[in-house]
Amino acid sequence: MKRSVLKFGGSSVADFMKIKEIAGYLKSRIEQDEQLIVVVSAMGKTTDDLLASVSHLTADPNDMDLAMLLNTGEQQTISFLSLALNDMNVRAKPLTGYQAGIETTGKHLKSKISSIKTDFLEELFDSHDLLIVAGFQGFNKAGELTTLGRGGSDTTAVAIASALDCPCEIYTDVTGVFSTDPRIFPEAKRWEKISFEEMMEMSALGAGVLETRSVELANNHNIPLYLGKTLSKEKGTWIVPNDQMLERKAVTGVALDKEMAHVTITYPLETKTFLTDLFIKLEEAEINIDMISQIQNQDGLQLSFTFKESEERELNQLFDALKESYTNLYVKIETTYCKLSVIGAGMRDMTGVASKIFKTLLASDIPFYQVTTSEISVSYVVDEQNGEKATRLLCQAFNL
Amino acid sequence: MKRSVLKFGGSSVADFMKIKEIAGYLKSRIEQDEQLIVVVSAMGKTTDDLLASVSHLTADPNDMDLAMLLNTGEQQTISFLSLALNDMNVRAKPLTGYQAGIETTGKHLKSKISSIKTDFLEELFDSHDLLIVAGFQGFNKAGELTTLGRGGSDTTAVAIASALDCPCEIYTDVTGVFSTDPRIFPEAKRWEKISFEEMMEMSALGAGVLETRSVELANNHNIPLYLGKTLSKEKGTWIVPNDQMLERKAVTGVALDKEMAHVTITYPLETKTFLTDLFIKLEEAEINIDMISQIQNQDGLQLSFTFKESEERELNQLFDALKESYTNLYVKIETTYCKLSVIGAGMRDMTGVASKIFKTLLASDIPFYQVTTSEISVSYVVDEQNGEKATRLLCQAFNL
């Protein structure tokens, strides 16, 4: 019997009509002799509403309490979906993260999955056609409820698919993976297939379709991943192992990340422990950074990196703490930049990509402040106001 | 260190302002070196709203899914209250029914508590001042979420107090126990003390302040029970063991239950197995009945009892099933009656109570259709339209 994990995001289950439609679709899949595990997020804006309501009670919410509160969002969706399915005579069973045995480690609101009770899930399939698992949530060793942080429901879905060794289909309101954001460049192409490697770069660089950790997890376990539009007949995109890509284009896509910010730190040459201290503290605070580069000039050493705009407060707290030990630190945070990335698994075999990018930006007088490269991507920090224009120019230049 | 269980109902935690006020009150108790376990219900009309939303998905909701859905209501309250308390530097910890180890047996929506993990609660007090437990909920042997049914949060509170052997304070929007419902008879007296025995009759007979099972549980474990108004300086009522009542009035109160319905079943003399079958089925369906009486007349045997109006649908299903085996059954359900009860622990030692009741009803031309008596109460089935008038007349007659 074929088995798949399907994930539906918050906008796909935003109201009762949509939940009923999804239940109908799931029933049609079950009738084709499939076994399904369905992962759902909280309905529509539920999570945001819950977070907003907390401000009535405290300005500095406790992580453990917040995780417990947010858990109720997905628990409501799984109950509603199960009610709809059981009404259609599908033998469905809803499971919270705790019940599905999704054990996590790390901070309450940024947990990572450490194990899943697959034996229990297998056992449930003896008497059920379909299991509904609450996305985004788990529990830690102390038995406390946790959430997986950003993009958490995708991670839940891919982790379950990995544990059960079956394909994973992620449904959102986007039809698949495009060469760039169609809202910026309407002529953008949708790929039928893309390699894990490219998808990881696309995600990491802010394409926003799927969080990097989900793609990484699917890649590590060799789980076929599908991205499609909820209840749409249009074909989506399959993300496949790198060696299954027969034909390669030099450049697959252009990703624009506006949610990033940029920091430059200047510090004297003689403060040898600074870098180590900084990176230990970044790890402790679980702040993800990117595009790290360092140069030495007449002022001393200068370190730049990008980070998520949403983590600015935490980063500032971190620098305040560091300044107590390193008094000669000079920190400049810039939030009006954005990150533009050109991605392509074929890039490493080809030449001319970087020079074409430079020429394109130069021809339109778009300045850039930092450049970093990976095996299959080149990233630029440019002014936020130039981001969309540069994206369109590069898509045209590379015929995407 | 003094320890108490405090319970706050849905209207006491209906909005964030009220939750903050309760948090402030709890902090003041903690500052007097108390250890508290606080049990809360879902905020305001949350449970009703959740139930109403289910009708968009199914007309015949699955109990397991419904229990899981309703569980989110209390889980939100405990999270919010804990956020408010932690903001005030009270070391609070929220616990779902599952986390508090409240194991239950029976139907998903009408479960009974079978055990509580007191060791775990005791351990938590090493590092916390206050534990917040979600009322109304638990889990069964299969690890599924359950609810305790009607008045469930009171039961949670009293069960925890019983397990930890400490007093239990129940806060609602009523100031305590009155001789009768003050909305019906404004001159009704509030008792400072009442015996468990009387309180059990009051609850069972529909006084509506507290469910019978909670009072019974407190009585069985000899747990002092307090009923008071949330955040009010007015004194409430302590419910104490029977032998602690020094002075006894013949009649303590009059209870009116409008939520009841009445059934009369007529069946032929020769169907000997009928009664056994009926009561087995009632037990299986967990339908509570009261005021059972049986007479024999020219038509055969006639059995009457009262039941909760809300269980009419289930009772009808039960009779439909019985009619398949007993074709000569005649069933008449009457929902326009109500039950009027006169209660007093001193009643057994005194005479004249019953005759005074009969005289009072007769003088005002109020007919009654059934009478039953217990050691400390007399109950009458009268027309619903006469219920409030009869309550007032009896309160005046007994100077309550």
Side-chain angles (χ1 to χ4, degrees):
Chain A
M1 195 176 250
K2 198 188 154 196
R3 185 185 284 174
S4 301
V5 175
L6 276 63
K7 183 255 167 178
F8 295 92
S11 58
S12 305
V13 291
D15 58 48
F16 295 118
M17 186 52 80
K18 288 183 176 171
I19 289 178
K20 265 187 152 166
E21 280 171 11
I22 287 175
Y25 169 70
L26 294 172
K27 184 183 164 87
S28 73
R29 295 272 301 251
I30 293 293
E31 284 166 351
Q32 287 160 45
D33 267 339
E34 287 194 71
Q35 275 186 345
L36 301 180
I37 298 106
V38 180
V39 175
V40 284
S41 305
M43 289 171 75
K45 300 268 163 231
T46 306
T47 304
D48 291 341
D49 291 346
L50 287 173
L51 282 172
S53 61
V54 167
S55 62
H56 295 292
L57 296 169
T58 172
D60 183 23
N62 171 301
D63 282 2
M64 190 186 69
D65 297 344
L66 214 49
M68 177 173 265
L69 178 67
L70 296 183
N71 263 258
T72 62
E74 291 77 27
Q75 187 169 326
Q76 294 188 344
T77 320
I78 60 171
S79 308
F80 286 132
L81 183 57
S82 187
L83 283 160
L85 281 162
N86 277 294
D87 190 63
M88 297 174 183
N89 295 315
V90 174
R91 299 178 307 162
K93 188 177 176 88
L95 299 164
T96 63
Y98 186 98
Q99 290 174 320
I102 299 179
E103 200 176 318
T104 66
T105 57
K107 293 186 169 188
H108 284 92
L109 296 174
K110 277 185 178 180
S111 286
K112 292 184 176 67
I113 297 178
S114 54
S115 72
I116 293 178
K117 252 196 299 180
T118 48
D119 291 357
F120 178 61
L121 297 178
E122 292 283 2
E123 209 183 291
L124 286 175
F125 272 122
D126 292 344
S127 49
H128 296 86
D129 305 315
L130 191 152
L131 308 179
I132 308 165
V133 178
F136 181 62
Q137 57 179 235
F139 68 101
N140 63 18
K141 279 245 182 293
E144 293 159 350
L145 302 181
T146 58
T147 67
L148 305 180
R150 206 173 262 258
S153 290
D154 291 340
T155 311
T156 304
V158 177
I160 294 175
S162 302
L164 295 174
D165 195 22
C166 70
C168 181
E169 306 169 19
I170 309 262
Y171 291 96
T172 64
D173 37 18
V174 179
T175 321
V177 183
F178 287 81
S179 56
T180 197
D181 188 337
R183 285 168 302 185
I184 297 173
F185 185 61
E187 298 84 5
K189 288 173 187 151
R190 185 178 47 71
W191 305 113
E192 249 180 65
K193 260 188 189 178
I194 189 174
S195 72
F196 272 114
E197 212 173 23
E198 287 164 315
M199 188 63 208
M200 278 206 285
E201 288 283 342
M202 292 285 278
S203 304
L205 300 172
V209 196
L210 200 56
E211 283 289 306
T212 325
R213 55 199 284 215
S214 312
V215 187
E216 206 164 22
L217 197 60
N219 185 26
N220 290 344
H221 291 84
N222 238 6
I223 296 304
L225 202 56
Y226 177 81
L227 279 182
K229 190 170 176 172
T230 307
L231 300 175
S232 164
K233 297 228 182 294
E234 281 181 89
K235 267 192 192 170
T237 302
W238 275 101
I239 305 160
V240 297
N242 309 321
D243 53 16
Q244 285 182 27
M245 292 296 290
L246 292 177
E247 211 186 342
R248 288 190 172 180
K249 288 193 69 166
V251 173
T252 325
V254 177
L256 177 65
D257 183 3
K258 295 182 191 168
E259 309 289 300
M260 56 74 79
H262 185 263
V263 63
T264 306
I265 308 155
T266 313
Y267 62 99
L269 245 171
E270 63 276 14
T271 51
K272 292 192 196 308
T273 55
F274 173 70
L275 268 194
T276 323
D277 277 3
L278 171 65
F279 282 92
I280 287 172
K281 282 205 190 309
L282 284 170
E283 197 190 339
E284 282 171 0
E286 292 182 24
I287 296 174
N288 285 312
I289 66 166
D290 198 13
M291 293 192 74
I292 308 161
S293 65
Q294 177 166 308
I295 53 162
Q296 189 178 328
N297 62 16
Q298 69 277 15
D299 300 325
L301 288 160
Q302 196 170 319
L303 175 78
S304 295
F305 57 80
T306 60
F307 60 95
K308 287 199 171 121
E309 227 164 56
S310 60
E311 294 181 325
E312 189 183 349
R313 204 183 67 146
E314 278 160 294
L315 198 66
N316 265 319
Q317 284 171 349
L318 188 151
F319 284 125
D320 287 345
L322 276 172
K323 279 177 186 166
E324 285 172 20
S325 321
Y326 303 98
T327 45
N328 287 324
L329 224 53
Y330 176 74
V331 177
K332 183 162 178 272
I333 290 181
E334 188 58 73
T335 55
T336 61
Y337 291 161
C338 66
K339 181 167 62 177
L340 190 68
S341 307
V342 178
I343 301 140
M347 204 183 274
R348 71 187 74 158
D349 312 322
M350 312 218 183
T351 51
V353 172
S355 73
K356 202 170 189 173
I357 299 171
F358 284 117
K359 273 185 218 153
T360 308
L361 295 180
L362 201 65
S364 297
D365 278 331
I366 295 175
F368 48 88
Y369 306 104
Q370 198 183 337
V371 181
T372 56
T373 56
S374 85
E375 292 251 307
I376 64 162
S377 75
V378 191
S379 295
Y380 296 79
V381 172
V382 302
D383 289 308
E384 204 159 285
Q385 70 204 52
N386 285 328
E388 299 200 356
K389 186 181 161 197
T391 304
R392 280 189 292 270
L393 290 170
L394 290 169
C395 284
Q396 281 154 356
F398 289 101
N399 189 28
L400 293 172
Chain B
M1 196 177 250
K2 200 190 154 196
R3 185 185 284 173
S4 302
V5 175
L6 275 64
K7 184 254 168 179
F8 295 92
S11 58
S12 305
V13 292
D15 58 48
F16 296 118
M17 187 52 79
K18 287 182 177 173
I19 289 178
K20 265 187 152 167
E21 280 172 9
I22 286 177
Y25 170 69
L26 295 172
K27 185 183 164 87
S28 73
R29 296 271 301 249
I30 293 293
E31 285 166 351
Q32 287 158 48
D33 267 340
E34 287 193 71
Q35 276 186 343
L36 301 180
I37 299 108
V38 181
V39 175
V40 285
S41 305
M43 288 171 73
K45 299 269 165 230
T46 306
T47 304
D48 292 342
D49 291 347
L50 288 172
L51 282 172
S53 61
V54 168
S55 61
H56 296 291
L57 296 169
T58 173
D60 183 23
N62 171 302
D63 282 1
M64 192 186 67
D65 297 344
L66 213 49
M68 176 174 268
L69 179 66
L70 296 184
N71 263 257
T72 63
E74 290 77 27
Q75 187 169 325
Q76 294 189 344
T77 320
I78 60 171
S79 308
F80 285 132
L81 183 57
S82 187
L83 282 161
L85 281 161
N86 277 294
D87 191 63
M88 298 175 184
N89 295 315
V90 174
R91 298 180 308 163
K93 187 177 177 89
L95 299 164
T96 64
Y98 187 97
Q99 291 173 319
I102 299 179
E103 199 176 319
T104 66
T105 57
K107 293 187 169 190
H108 285 91
L109 296 175
K110 276 185 181 183
S111 286
K112 291 185 178 67
I113 297 177
S114 55
S115 71
I116 292 177
K117 252 195 300 182
T118 48
D119 290 357
F120 178 60
L121 297 178
E122 293 282 3
E123 209 183 290
L124 286 175
F125 272 123
D126 291 345
S127 49
H128 295 86
D129 305 315
L130 191 150
L131 308 179
I132 308 166
V133 179
F136 182 61
Q137 58 179 238
F139 68 102
N140 63 19
K141 278 243 182 296
E144 293 159 349
L145 302 181
T146 59
T147 67
L148 304 180
R150 207 173 262 258
S153 291
D154 290 340
T155 311
T156 304
V158 177
I160 294 175
S162 301
L164 295 173
D165 196 22
C166 69
C168 182
E169 305 169 20
I170 310 260
Y171 291 96
T172 64
D173 37 18
V174 179
T175 319
V177 184
F178 287 81
S179 55
T180 197
D181 188 337
R183 286 169 302 187
I184 297 172
F185 185 61
E187 297 85 5
K189 286 174 190 150
R190 185 178 49 71
W191 304 114
E192 246 180 68
K193 260 188 189 178
I194 188 174
S195 73
F196 272 114
E197 211 173 23
E198 287 165 315
M199 189 64 208
M200 278 207 283
E201 289 284 342
M202 292 285 278
S203 304
L205 300 172
V209 196
L210 200 56
E211 283 289 306
T212 324
R213 54 200 284 215
S214 312
V215 187
E216 206 164 22
L217 198 60
N219 184 26
N220 290 344
H221 291 83
N222 237 5
I223 296 302
L225 202 57
Y226 176 81
L227 280 180
K229 190 169 178 174
T230 307
L231 300 176
S232 164
K233 296 228 183 294
E234 281 180 89
K235 267 193 191 169
T237 302
W238 275 101
I239 305 159
V240 296
N242 308 322
D243 53 16
Q244 285 182 26
M245 293 296 290
L246 292 177
E247 209 186 343
R248 286 189 173 183
K249 287 192 69 165
V251 173
T252 326
V254 177
L256 176 65
D257 183 5
K258 295 182 189 170
E259 308 290 299
M260 56 74 79
H262 185 264
V263 62
T264 305
I265 309 155
T266 312
Y267 62 99
L269 245 172
E270 63 277 14
T271 51
K272 292 191 198 308
T273 56
F274 173 69
L275 268 194
T276 323
D277 277 4
L278 171 66
F279 281 91
I280 287 173
K281 282 205 189 310
L282 284 171
E283 197 189 339
E284 280 171 1
E286 292 180 25
I287 296 173
N288 285 312
I289 65 167
D290 197 13
M291 293 191 75
I292 308 162
S293 65
Q294 177 166 307
I295 55 161
Q296 189 178 328
N297 61 17
Q298 70 277 15
D299 300 325
L301 287 161
Q302 196 170 319
L303 174 77
S304 295
F305 56 81
T306 60
F307 61 95
K308 287 200 171 118
E309 226 165 57
S310 59
E311 294 182 325
E312 189 182 351
R313 204 183 67 146
E314 279 159 295
L315 198 68
N316 266 319
Q317 284 171 348
L318 188 152
F319 283 126
D320 287 345
L322 276 172
K323 279 176 186 167
E324 286 172 19
S325 323
Y326 303 98
T327 45
N328 287 323
L329 222 52
Y330 175 72
V331 177
K332 184 161 177 271
I333 290 181
E334 187 58 71
T335 56
T336 61
Y337 290 161
C338 65
K339 181 167 62 176
L340 190 68
S341 307
V342 178
I343 301 141
M347 204 184 272
R348 71 188 73 159
D349 312 321
M350 312 216 185
T351 52
V353 171
S355 73
K356 201 170 188 173
I357 299 171
F358 284 117
K359 271 185 217 154
T360 308
L361 295 180
L362 201 66
S364 299
D365 278 331
I366 295 173
F368 48 88
Y369 306 104
Q370 198 183 337
V371 181
T372 56
T373 56
S374 84
E375 290 251 309
I376 64 161
S377 75
V378 192
S379 295
Y380 295 81
V381 171
V382 302
D383 289 307
E384 205 160 284
Q385 69 203 51
N386 285 329
E388 300 200 356
K389 185 182 162 196
T391 304
R392 280 190 291 270
L393 290 169
L394 290 170
C395 284
Q396 280 154 354
F398 288 101
N399 189 28
L400 292 172

